[in-house]
């Protein structure tokens, strides 16, 4: 078997709030609840397992998601409609803009626990996907 990422745990102030934010934004569903985790399954079989921990123990992380053009447009519409702050760049110097890197579209925003989320429609450098 080749090496594959199976799941990752995302620390959250409120696991339900974070999971629902993510599923609603991207049109996904909660896959399972087990112990302290609420899992959201991605199309490649990886799950994001949201866990509630004390806010002072959350270290903001970066999560980038490759989405289709239609998925990007739907999520971007929700970001704007909900007044979620967003940027074209990871350093938050280009507010209220998207980027067109590598001929696609990209946007950065924060989730309810201040993790930096990124949506892109084309992999960086056009790297091939397997």
């Amino acid at each position: 078997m080749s090496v594959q990422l199976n799941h990752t745990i995302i620390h959250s102030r409120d696991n339900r709030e974070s999971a629902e934010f993510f599923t609603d934004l991207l049109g996904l569903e909660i896959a399972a609840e087990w112990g302290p985790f609420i899992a959201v399954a991605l199309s490649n079989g990886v799950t994001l397992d949201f866990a509630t921990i004390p806010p002072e123990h959350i270290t903001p992380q970066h999560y980038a998601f490759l989405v289709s053009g239609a998925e990007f447009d739907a999520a971007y519409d929700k970001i704007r409609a909900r007044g979620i702050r967003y940027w074209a760049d990871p350093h938050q110097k280009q507010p209220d803009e998207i980027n067109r890197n590598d001929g696609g579209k990209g946007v950065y925003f924060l989730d309810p626990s201040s993790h930096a989320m990124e949506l892109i429609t084309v992999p960086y450098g056009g790297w091939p996907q397997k």
Side-chain angles (χ1 to χ4, degrees):
M1 170 187 290
S2 62
V3 176
Q4 299 178 16
L5 180 64
N6 177 264
H7 69 277
T8 191
I9 297 171
I10 299 178
H11 291 169
S12 307
R13 292 180 310 188
D14 178 310
N15 62 352
R16 176 142 320 270
E17 176 189 31
S18 291
E20 289 177 354
F21 172 87
F22 191 77
T23 57
D24 184 55
L25 190 67
L26 293 176
L28 300 171
E29 294 182 12
I30 290 174
E33 295 184 43
W34 181 77
F37 305 109
I38 297 179
V40 174
L42 304 179
S43 63
N44 61 351
V46 174
T47 62
L48 306 177
D49 297 352
F50 292 91
T52 300
I53 69 164
E56 64 272 15
H57 294 291
I58 296 173
T59 300
Q61 300 292 313
H62 173 76
Y63 299 94
F65 301 93
L66 182 62
V67 298
S68 70
E71 289 165 329
F72 180 94
D73 292 343
Y76 181 58
D77 286 346
K78 289 177 185 177
I79 288 168
R80 291 184 302 159
R82 294 176 185 161
I84 298 170
R85 295 185 66 202
Y86 64 93
W87 301 267
D89 67 304
H91 305 290
Q92 301 177 354
K93 298 198 184 295
Q94 298 172 32
D96 306 321
E97 296 180 37
I98 65 170
N99 66 58
R100 303 274 180 184
N101 297 343
D102 297 304
K105 295 186 243 182
V107 67
Y108 295 83
F109 57 96
L110 302 179
D111 82 341
S113 298
S114 297
H115 294 297
M117 301 291 192
E118 177 183 11
L119 303 178
I120 56 174
T121 60
V122 174
Y124 287 126
W127 298 330
Q129 297 296 298
K130 292 188 178 197

